[in-house]
Amino acid sequence: ETDPHRILCTSRDCGVAFATAIMHVMEGVLDLKPAMIFAQELRTFHAYRQTLNSTHFSLRPSADLQDLDEYIEYRRNEVNIA
């Protein structure tokens, strides 16, 4: 039989291990270089979504932005994330 207490403890241990690992990644402890810059990743995503002819969500995050280039510039210059 499966011991529910043991499953609970194992699940908690896994959650703690994951939280510890992701904290190191988010803080840059592993000193990993991104595989691509944000603009490249976003362009790749847009190209992929267009090949699917997906229409269930807008590729523009706001109606105020005319296109992908304007969004990338906004992220780079206004909110300084890209």
Side-chain angles (χ1 to χ4, degrees), residues 1 6 21 25-27 46 48-49 62-63 67-68 80:
E1 281 186 48
R6 190 167 183 189
V25 171
M26 298 303 290
E27 291 176 348
H46 272 240
Y48 172 72
R49 294 304 299 182
S62 168
D67 57 20
L68 178 58
N80 204 17

Side-chain angles (χ1 to χ4, degrees), residues 28-80:
V29 172
L30 301 178
D31 195 30
L32 299 173
K33 303 271 187 266
M36 64 178 74
I37 63 171
F38 175 76
Q40 290 172 312
E41 186 172 356
L42 195 56
R43 289 183 197 288
T44 301
F45 174 75
H46 272 240
Y48 172 72
R49 294 304 299 182
Q50 289 172 341
T51 63
L52 297 177
N53 293 322
S54 174
T55 59
H56 72 277
F57 71 92
S58 175
L59 291 174
R60 289 186 321 181
S62 168
D64 295 335
L65 302 169
Q66 297 301 312
D67 57 20
L68 178 58
D69 291 325
E70 189 173 345
Y71 176 54
I72 291 170
E73 286 301 311
Y74 168 76
R75 294 281 304 248
R76 182 177 292 127
N77 299 321
E78 299 291 324
V79 292
N80 204 17

